[in-house]
Amino acid sequence: MKAKIEELKKKFEGEIEKIKSSEKLEELRLAFLGKKGEISALMADFKNVANEQKRELGALINNFKDKVENSISAKKQELSELEDKIKMASDKKIDFTLPAQTGTGSLHPRTLILKEVEDVFVSMGFTVEDGFEVETEYDNFDAVNVPANHPARDMQDTFWLDNGQLLKTHTSAAQN
């Protein structure tokens, strides 16, 4: 049994040196540590060993199993680092010191819809007028004949500014 363990150690050491990929490493792990692997076969043969030798052979099998597990995890780490290096070498290099290449951007979806609606109205003969957002009281109310006691002039219906102007409350103010 000792000879078989030594033979398996040499076989394992020879095979792990040849491993160059994670897939092959997994195959090797299953060959030695899997349910039908070499170490499981040793454990199955262990019940046939004489009681005087069980302590010594049990220790040898456990040491071999620990060595296989440690070697496989070390090789897995080594392969992972190697794969990372290969990936880093093959990836596109970015020079962060170059000026940024920015796109021209695009319009907000609401703005696009607004432009489509405006196009529909323009096709029907309407014109699109843009005016100021801040108006005087005269332009907003007096010039379009809104009486002084009209509810639109109330504080709760109009946003009055500290300088006496107000935010435009209707589109008629742009017609002046």
Side-chain angles (χ1 to χ4, degrees):
M1 185 100 167
K2 286 182 185 178
K4 187 173 183 180
I5 294 172
E6 288 300 320
E7 181 184 322
L8 285 175
K9 278 184 184 179
K10 288 179 183 176
K11 179 181 175 185
F12 175 76
E13 289 169 357
E15 288 187 22
I16 199 161
E17 291 298 321
K18 298 176 192 173
I19 300 291
K20 300 290 183 206
S21 71
S22 298
E23 294 82 20
K24 295 290 185 187
L25 183 64
E26 182 63 18
E27 290 174 13
L28 181 67
R29 185 189 72 79
L30 290 175
F32 278 87
L33 296 174
K35 286 183 179 179
K36 296 181 181 180
E38 300 288 349
I39 294 177
S40 294
L42 284 176
M43 295 292 207
D45 290 344
F46 184 70
K47 65 181 176 188
N48 299 330
V49 174
N51 286 340
E52 306 86 46
Q53 295 178 333
K54 281 196 176 191
R55 172 175 267 164
E56 179 186 356
L57 288 176
L60 282 175
I61 292 172
N62 283 334
N63 288 341
F64 177 53
K65 182 179 178 184
D66 290 343
K67 179 180 173 153
V68 168
E69 288 173 345
N70 292 336
S71 296
I72 286 177
S73 67
K75 189 70 169 182
K76 184 183 260 185
Q77 179 69 27
E78 178 185 327
L79 288 174
S80 174
E81 290 173 4
L82 181 64
E83 288 170 359
D84 287 346
K85 285 180 184 177
I86 290 171
K87 185 177 178 189
M88 292 290 282
S90 67
D91 279 350
K92 179 181 171 185
K93 303 279 191 270
I94 299 173
D95 186 359
F96 292 105
T97 61
L98 293 175
Q101 298 283 333
T102 59
T104 57
S106 63
L107 295 174
H108 191 276
R110 290 180 182 171
T111 305
L112 294 173
I113 291 172
L114 180 66
K115 288 189 177 292
E116 286 180 28
V117 170
E118 286 177 354
D119 289 343
V120 169
F121 279 105
V122 166
S123 71
M124 293 189 305
F126 290 91
T127 59
V128 177
E129 296 289 332
D130 283 331
F132 299 112
E133 293 296 319
V134 177
E135 293 285 348
T136 63
E137 184 177 6
Y138 174 80
D139 287 332
N140 201 56
F141 297 120
D142 296 334
V144 290
N145 297 325
V146 175
N149 60 353
H150 192 276
R153 291 183 182 235
D154 291 342
M155 291 297 290
Q156 66 268 19
D157 292 329
T158 302
F159 292 104
W160 293 89
L161 304 176
D162 292 338
N163 62 2
Q165 292 184 322
L166 53 112
L167 295 182
K168 181 169 58 175
T169 60
H170 50 82
T171 59
S172 300
Q175 294 173 1
N176 295 337

